[in-house]
Amino acid sequence: MTELKTKTIAEIVSDDISTASIFKKYKLDFCCGGGKTVENACKKENINVDDVVNDLLNNTSKKETPNLNFKDWSAEFLADYIVYVHHSYVKQNLSIISEFADKVANVHGQHEPKTIEIAQIFSTISSELTSHMGKEEFILFPAIKAKADNPNFEFDEKTLSLVKEEHEEVGTMIKKIQELSSDFTPPEWACNTFKALYFKLEEFTNDLYQHIHLENNILFPKVKNL
Ligand SMILES: [Fe+2]
Ligand SMILES: [Fe+2]
């Protein structure tokens, strides 16, 4: 019990990705702020640490999520996995979600101004993520692979810290959407597009958290050992 409190969130999620949904429920960041211990993160956010630990101990989603051993994968393989799984997901979904968000904002914006704000934030996320993923695919990941092939390769730390900063920024924006949408809960009167928007936004958020977690907490630390 106390052991869980003093572990970092990143460690717990790296050991068992199914715990990610628990941290998300409490809005505890496991991808960018994952370096904090459970205890400290809860203190900072004013959350009862025992509730979180209880949920972690009673984690039942374990059986449903295949637990891949990302930590044991080579940096090259993990970089490819991130591109094929997460970058493709983002590319496939940005325009679908933007379309829903704009439609909902146009129809409901007047009496539900939050929908306008959500559409605006998502549009920023969309353009920033597109250039961010380009940076990873064409500069950072090829550099990681080059370093894995040749330990003498001069690795540019600047790109790495820039990419990490961008993770923070997009993480903050997605959290804002989570708040504005009351955790992706559509109002009683919501039409199907509205429901679809919140459903897709939640799916997108889950994917993004996992994506940034793999980069920040598993892939980037591997670079130091190449
Ligand atoms: Fe990425
Ligand atoms: Fe990234």
Side-chain angles (χ1 to χ4, degrees):
M1 191 100 169
T2 38
E3 197 198 312
L4 275 171
K5 288 185 194 174
T6 52
K7 269 191 169 179
T8 69
I9 297 179
E11 276 169 345
I12 296 175
V13 176
S14 300
D15 286 341
D16 181 358
I17 189 60
S18 72
T19 58
S21 53
I22 295 171
F23 291 113
K24 186 173 148 269
K25 175 177 146 194
Y26 290 98
K27 296 202 183 64
L28 290 169
D29 187 353
F30 64 87
C31 46
C32 294
K36 291 190 197 82
T37 63
V38 176
E39 207 165 28
N40 289 341
C42 286
K43 216 177 273 170
K44 192 170 167 255
E45 300 294 328
N46 255 323
I47 294 164
N48 183 352
V49 65
D50 293 325
D51 290 346
V52 179
V53 170
N54 267 329
D55 277 10
L56 288 171
L57 292 171
N58 298 314
N59 180 18
T60 47
S61 59
K62 218 169 239 168
K63 294 144 212 135
E64 295 150 30
T65 332
N67 212 356
L68 298 169
N69 276 326
F70 299 108
K71 282 199 292 190
D72 299 337
W73 294 1
S74 70
E76 302 99 295
F77 189 78
L78 183 56
D80 283 342
Y81 174 88
I82 290 169
V83 173
Y84 287 123
V85 174
H86 294 289
H87 290 199
S88 323
Y89 171 84
V90 173
K91 287 172 198 165
Q92 277 165 15
N93 285 280
L94 282 178
S95 62
I96 303 171
I97 300 175
S98 295
E99 206 179 293
F100 285 160
D102 292 342
K103 207 181 263 177
V104 171
N106 281 337
V107 180
H108 303 289
Q110 218 157 28
H111 60 104
E112 196 77 353
K114 283 190 242 173
T115 57
I116 298 177
E117 214 179 322
I118 290 173
Q120 282 165 345
I121 298 171
F122 195 80
S123 146
T124 313
I125 290 179
S126 171
S127 55
E128 297 209 342
L129 265 185
T130 304
S131 86
H132 173 82
M133 292 190 305
K135 215 172 277 157
E136 289 175 341
E137 287 174 33
F138 299 109
I139 304 168
L140 184 61
F141 293 179
I144 291 175
K145 288 181 184 176
K147 180 83 181 155
D149 273 347
N150 171 13
N152 297 322
F153 177 83
E154 288 263 351
F155 186 82
D156 181 10
E157 295 284 342
K158 259 185 258 154
T159 317
L160 187 63
S161 31
L162 183 62
V163 160
K164 279 191 192 163
E165 265 168 45
E166 290 175 351
H167 287 165
E168 295 270 349
E169 284 159 22
V170 74
T172 307
M173 288 191 273
I174 209 81
K175 239 187 216 168
K176 184 76 193 160
I177 290 185
Q178 192 177 348
E179 264 170 49
L180 286 167
S181 65
S182 319
D183 281 316
F184 315 105
T185 317
E188 288 275 310
W189 47 265
C191 59
N192 282 336
T193 313
F194 203 141
K195 286 182 192 155
L197 170 66
Y198 277 17
F199 177 82
K200 289 300 285 183
L201 277 174
E202 182 166 27
E203 179 191 79
F204 187 87
T205 304
N206 290 340
D207 180 82
L208 192 69
Y209 280 167
Q210 164 73 350
H211 174 182
I212 298 178
H213 161 69
L214 289 178
E215 291 172 352
N216 274 2
N217 301 330
I218 304 186
L219 180 63
F220 299 163
K222 278 182 190 288
V223 174
K224 287 191 199 90
N225 303 320
L226 291 173

